[in-house]
Amino acid sequence: MNPEAVKALLVAAFPQAEAIEVSGEGSKYNVTIVSEEFANLRPVAKQQRVYAPLNEHIASGAIHAVTMRTLTPEEWRKAKLFG
């Protein structure tokens, strides 16, 4: 796996996302997804939603670790303004 392949999986799973960023190497990735879909979800539900399209690759060992930020568009704008 590489960041582009991980991003492709997430873009397919989150077609309405405002932004999807993936970085990392080897089998460890940092993911940021900005989607209105996260507005009323608890943190665990957000994680489950992100893991769902990656589970096959996690099970195979191609992906070992995913660090994620799941934000609504409003949270994303605030994060950009205030760091």
Side-chain angles (χ1 to χ4, degrees):
M1 295 294 298
N2 59 46
E4 294 79 21
V6 173
K7 183 173 180 176
L9 292 169
L10 294 171
V11 166
F14 293 92
Q16 303 301 322
E18 187 172 306
I20 296 177
E21 298 175 0
V22 179
S23 63
E25 57 185 46
S27 61
K28 298 178 183 178
Y29 297 95
N30 297 307
V31 172
T32 299
I33 302 177
V34 180
S35 177
E36 192 61 44
E37 181 177 335
F38 297 131
N40 295 311
L41 296 179
R42 295 180 190 200
V44 170
K46 292 178 185 182
Q47 289 177 347
Q48 290 171 334
R49 181 69 179 90
V50 174
Y51 281 131
L54 305 177
N55 277 337
E56 177 183 332
H57 303 283
I58 293 168
S60 75
I63 297 175
H64 173 70
V66 178
T67 301
M68 65 182 82
R69 289 179 65 197
T70 53
L71 305 166
T72 65
E74 182 62 24
E75 291 168 335
W76 181 244
R77 281 186 271 287
K78 287 178 183 177
K80 284 182 164 183
L81 286 174
F82 303 112

